[in-house]
Amino acid sequence: MTWTVAPEPFDSPVAAALWRDYYTEVSDRWYLLHEGRRTDPAELEREIAAQSWDELAPPRGQLLVGRYDGEPGGCAGVRLLSAATAELKRVFVREELRGNGGAALLVRAAEDAARALGATRMILDTRGDLVEARALYARLGYAETGAHNDEPYADHWFRRDLG
């Protein structure tokens, strides 16, 4: 069984299913840590409906979907912030597929997409409780930096030159 990664329209049914899985996991983790409960389903639906993923569409962005043995198993997005800077967004691998190299493959594919958009550096933000993500980024050569945005849930910011 192997991973493949390819561009995917941000509004496809595959993307919608992955967004739902992503938001359910990151939201539940936050609420369990801070309030000892899972996300209220109505709140989750409101948040998913409020999101627009058009920032991950060409010509200034790209959504990539990883398939494991042909089945959608993860995603990563990249959006161009300036001529030289791209932002890595929504890196996610379904829990049952973790540990098979999919996350690193998705990040590397997003870096390639960023280079194709003309970027020479990638930035990202993540939360402190997403320790697996922070370990992944460090392992892939991302250096922790000061804040580059004021996202309310961001605790850690990273950067990597794409040279």
Side-chain angles (χ1 to χ4, degrees):
M1 299 206 188
T2 60
W3 283 97
T4 58
V5 177
E8 180 81 22
F10 73 91
D11 55 355
S12 75
V14 167
L18 287 166
W19 297 140
R20 179 168 303 288
D21 290 350
Y22 167 84
Y23 268 107
T24 299
E25 180 172 337
V26 297
S27 184
D28 279 354
R29 284 179 74 160
W30 192 90
Y31 277 110
L32 285 167
L33 179 65
H34 295 283
E35 297 186 12
R37 65 173 178 88
R38 295 196 181 281
T39 310
D40 175 84
E43 178 183 359
L44 184 64
E45 291 305 317
R46 281 192 307 275
E47 287 302 313
I48 290 171
Q51 297 298 318
S52 170
W53 303 107
D54 58 352
E55 66 188 7
L56 302 181
R60 299 199 44 87
Q62 185 70 68
L63 172 65
L64 301 160
V65 167
R67 287 177 169 78
Y68 189 73
D69 199 28
E71 294 298 318
C75 61
V78 60
R79 68 177 179 155
L80 204 55
L81 298 178
S82 71
T85 303
E87 184 177 25
L88 183 62
K89 303 292 289 181
R90 312 299 187 270
V91 176
F92 174 73
V93 173
R94 289 184 165 142
E95 186 174 7
E96 66 273 15
L97 297 175
R98 293 179 188 157
N100 293 311
L105 189 65
L106 283 160
V107 171
R108 293 302 190 214
E111 291 171 352
D112 290 343
R115 284 184 197 93
L117 293 169
T120 57
R121 80 181 140 273
M122 184 84 85
I123 62 172
L124 65 95
D125 64 65
T126 192
R127 294 189 334 224
D129 63 307
L130 300 177
V131 294
E132 304 92 342
R134 291 182 14 239
L136 170 71
Y137 301 135
R139 188 173 77 245
L140 295 178
Y142 285 79
E144 196 153 355
T145 66
H148 61 258
N149 63 30
D150 59 358
E151 290 292 326
Y153 296 106
D155 302 309
H156 297 270
W157 295 264
F158 290 84
R159 173 190 167 144
R160 182 172 187 274
D161 290 333
L162 298 176

